[in-house]
Amino acid sequence: MSWQEEIDELHRRRALADKMGGEEKVARQHARGKMDARARLDGVLDPGSFREIGKIAGRGSYDAQGDLVDLAASNFIFGRGDIDGRPVVASADDFTVRGGSADAALHRKFVQCEAMAHELRLPLIRMIDGTGGGGSVKTLETMGYTYVPMVPGWDHIVTNLETVPVVALALGPTAGLGAARTVASHYSVMVKGLSQLFAAGPAVAAAIGETVDKEQLGGTEIHCRNGVVDEEVASEAEAFAVARRFLSYLPSSVDTLALRTPCTDPVDRREEALLSVVPRDPAQVYAMRRVLTQVFDHGSVFEMGRRWGRAVITAFARLDGWPVAVLASDPSFLGGSWEARTSEKAERFVKLADQFHLPIVHLVDNPGFMIGADAERAGTIRYGVNAMNAIYRARVPLASVIVRRAYGIAGSAMSNAERFQYRFAWPSGDWGSLPIDGGVEVAYKSELEASADPQAHLAAIRERLNKVRSPFRSAEHFAVEDIIDPRDTRPLLCEFADLAWARVSGARQKLSGNHA
């Protein structure tokens, strides 16, 4: 009365699924320099933690007696695993089966994967390597009919974006649905030379008269610069590493809080180099990333989106072990002026931080929104106002440090001025409605024209104004809360992090109590 015969059949089917697209196609995948789907799952997850769901799902072929001859496994593999001991949902497209086409994936597996993530409130990792959503045109003849397009389970994708951290790794050519699944994430990664992303591939582009290869159409040089994808890496192993690190700063869902980690970096560390990092000459730039490494916990700064919207640095970091989201101006690009892409990047990052309850630290050196005809054509003011609105809507605690400039509307977007301003300014602070240097000649035009020595008179006016623009004058009127020694920045921000996380934790407990 044993069920051993059925157990043997189960093991046989599992073994057939392990073959994926077959020895030849798996070898072809490896020859392209790509890992196979199962190796990818092993690579991104803690060793031995993956439990597959629906492994024997696929398309079986049977003999005349109705016995299984072979099994073409689904090319969508998913299940639960761990990252640093925390449970996640992970999926991988198997390019060795029908080129990763979704019509070979069994739609219910795709839907169940997404549903599992948001219903159990688990982070989701998608490893995408596929040609699209509906197979080839040839599929239509097999079906015998066509259909109005729809994506089964897309509502689950939308829900996941609202509830759990979603990471997408594009690990090959990703077109159509694969491209959409990549973009519908909080953090997306491409591998240089290996990954491409497009709405439709080169063959379809040729139909509209464009002759381009995959890299020219949708390589990393395009999509990691235009903001479609957050990160370019050199290898699949690096993609797995950044995915794991990204998730380490975030909670498992919007219902929980991110974890504090042990910190051996002294809270009272004062970096002498901060005293001279900002040049006295306002035309000179400096390395803001160097400031970040000196202020935040050693080794904790994790930047995302480095190659697009470059006037602002967006990163996660830790202060006394507490995770925080960091906005920081980069004066080495456009002088730190926010143009359309920069504003879009800042808006998206602030929304991400607020959604997952991460306090924000904003290091400010912003001379204003980018000006000029190109900036106007790009709609800079609309994107800029959207970024400002995101900062005003954010409910998490925010601390700002005015490192140097803060001018105009963009300068006022450093924080919500209607709330308590947890704000410090360095002695290098320089602020106003518009830069004095650019407006003196216009404001004093008639006076300069009447002067016997316009240049000497202009120099005298500048000297007077430079005294007025001193940050100490603002502090006298409490127009800025505190001028600090730059070396005190880390201790003061660690204090902020302790207070901010007490506030975040209390708010979350209160909300949980109300739900109960």
Side-chain angles (χ1 to χ4, degrees):
M1 298 299 292
S2 169
W3 290 90
Q4 188 59 49
E5 182 178 343
E6 285 77 10
I7 298 302
D8 292 342
E9 175 70 5
L10 173 62
H11 289 318
R12 179 189 173 212
R13 288 174 179 257
R14 286 177 175 173
L16 289 171
D18 281 332
K19 293 166 59 179
M20 295 175 281
E23 186 175 331
E24 180 182 340
K25 290 184 178 179
V26 171
R28 196 180 305 162
Q29 173 90 345
H30 294 165
R32 295 189 182 104
K34 298 164 66 177
M35 299 172 68
D36 61 71
R38 295 190 177 279
R40 286 169 172 167
L41 286 160
D42 290 339
V44 77
L45 298 171
D46 293 350
S49 69
F50 183 59
R51 184 180 71 77
E52 187 172 350
I53 296 173
K55 182 170 184 173
I56 64 174
R59 290 178 172 83
S61 55
Y62 294 83
D63 59 19
Q65 287 73 44
D67 295 321
L68 181 72
V69 175
D70 199 4
L71 175 71
S74 163
N75 63 8
F76 181 76
I77 303 170
F78 89 99
R80 75 76 84 207
D82 292 339
I83 286 184
D84 295 330
R86 296 166 59 200
V88 301
V89 176
S91 69
D93 298 343
D94 185 357
F95 194 82
T96 70
V97 179
R98 293 282 304 280
S101 178
D103 67 338
L106 302 182
H107 288 150
R108 189 166 182 273
K109 286 190 76 175
F110 170 82
V111 172
Q112 286 293 290
C113 174
E114 298 285 333
M116 180 183 184
H118 76 74
E119 290 190 18
L120 296 180
R121 294 298 196 264
L122 298 176
L124 174 64
I125 299 176
R126 305 187 192 113
M127 290 182 282
I128 302 167
D129 186 2
T131 58
S136 67
V137 173
K138 190 175 181 180
T139 306
L140 299 178
E141 189 172 13
T142 304
M143 293 171 55
Y145 66 96
T146 187
Y147 53 87
V148 177
M150 56 88 69
V151 179
W154 192 263
D155 57 335
H156 294 307
I157 288 179
V158 174
T159 302
N160 279 332
L161 285 173
E162 296 170 348
T163 53
V164 299
V166 180
V167 175
L169 309 181
L171 301 176
T174 58
L177 179 58
R181 290 170 60 218
T182 302
V183 174
S185 64
H186 298 111
Y187 184 58
S188 54
V189 181
M190 294 176 71
V191 181
K192 186 175 178 63
L194 190 73
S195 309
Q196 300 86 31
L197 183 148
F198 21 68
V204 181
I208 62 170
E210 292 189 9
T211 303
V212 288
D213 62 25
K214 290 188 293 186
E215 279 293 309
Q216 293 169 326
L217 184 60
T220 57
E221 285 299 306
I222 293 173
H223 290 310
C224 293
R225 291 178 181 272
N226 63 13
V228 167
V229 170
D230 294 303
E231 204 69 67
E232 174 194 88
V233 296
S235 66
E236 292 190 56
E238 189 179 349
F240 305 152
V242 297
R244 291 173 63 94
R245 192 165 181 206
F246 172 82
L247 291 175
S248 73
Y249 293 92
L250 297 176
S252 293
S253 76
V254 295
D255 298 327
T256 59
L257 296 176
L259 299 176
R260 185 185 191 185
T261 60
C263 178
T264 58
D265 190 358
V267 168
D268 59 356
R269 174 167 56 84
R270 299 173 81 250
E271 290 287 351
E272 198 67 28
L274 292 175
L275 191 59
S276 55
V277 69
V278 177
R280 283 194 170 274
D281 182 352
Q284 290 184 356
V285 300
Y286 58 94
M288 180 63 84
R289 288 180 177 84
R290 183 182 169 203
V291 175
L292 267 59
T293 61
Q294 292 168 336
V295 167
F296 296 99
D297 293 357
H298 282 312
S300 74
V301 178
F302 176 72
E303 187 173 351
M304 62 179 287
R306 182 167 184 153
R307 299 189 67 191
W308 75 285
R310 290 167 51 200
V312 69
I313 299 165
T314 51
F316 298 105
R318 293 185 183 273
L319 289 164
D320 193 19
W322 294 111
V324 294
V326 182
L327 283 177
S329 304
D330 186 356
S332 69
F333 184 79
L334 301 178
S337 295
W338 284 20
E339 31 71 76
R341 288 293 186 205
T342 293
S343 300
E344 181 184 4
K345 178 179 173 181
E347 177 194 10
R348 182 177 174 227
F349 189 72
V350 168
K351 287 180 175 179
L352 176 65
D354 194 46
Q355 178 180 353
F356 291 106
H357 324 301
L358 292 182
I360 299 169
V361 175
H362 191 179
L363 303 182
V364 181
D365 184 355
N366 191 336
F369 290 131
M370 193 65 188
I371 61 173
D374 287 344
E376 299 300 339
R377 280 191 286 268
T380 295
I381 190 63
R382 176 172 293 280
Y383 289 101
V385 168
N386 286 343
M388 185 174 181
N389 290 349
I391 289 170
Y392 267 67
R393 290 188 181 118
R395 295 295 92 194
V396 292
L398 183 151
S400 54
V401 180
I402 306 176
V403 176
R404 188 161 63 175
R405 294 161 300 182
Y407 276 99
I409 299 297
S412 69
M414 72 177 78
S415 58
N416 184 341
E418 305 305 319
R419 296 175 61 186
F420 171 69
Q421 292 276 33
Y422 208 114
R423 181 166 61 185
F424 309 103
W426 287 9
S428 46
D430 180 19
W431 43 69
S433 59
L434 76 166
I436 291 174
D437 291 336
V440 173
E441 289 87 343
V442 176
Y444 292 87
K445 182 179 178 181
S446 59
E447 188 175 324
L448 290 170
E449 288 175 347
S451 172
D453 187 347
Q455 289 303 315
H457 194 66
L458 177 61
I461 293 172
R462 288 186 186 280
E463 186 177 356
R464 296 199 313 266
L465 291 175
N466 281 335
K467 292 180 179 179
V468 173
R469 74 197 289 189
S470 165
F472 297 108
R473 295 286 191 98
S474 298
E476 284 179 23
H477 294 272
F478 201 57
V480 68
E481 291 72 26
D482 283 299
I483 310 293
I484 65 168
D485 183 331
R487 293 167 294 190
D488 290 331
T489 305
R490 172 173 170 77
L492 288 168
L493 287 181
C494 285
E495 178 185 279
F496 161 76
D498 288 339
L499 295 173
W501 269 100
R503 171 71 180 90
V504 168
S505 300
R508 177 53 41 189
Q509 290 172 1
K510 182 177 180 180
L511 184 60
S512 299
N514 289 341
H515 285 170

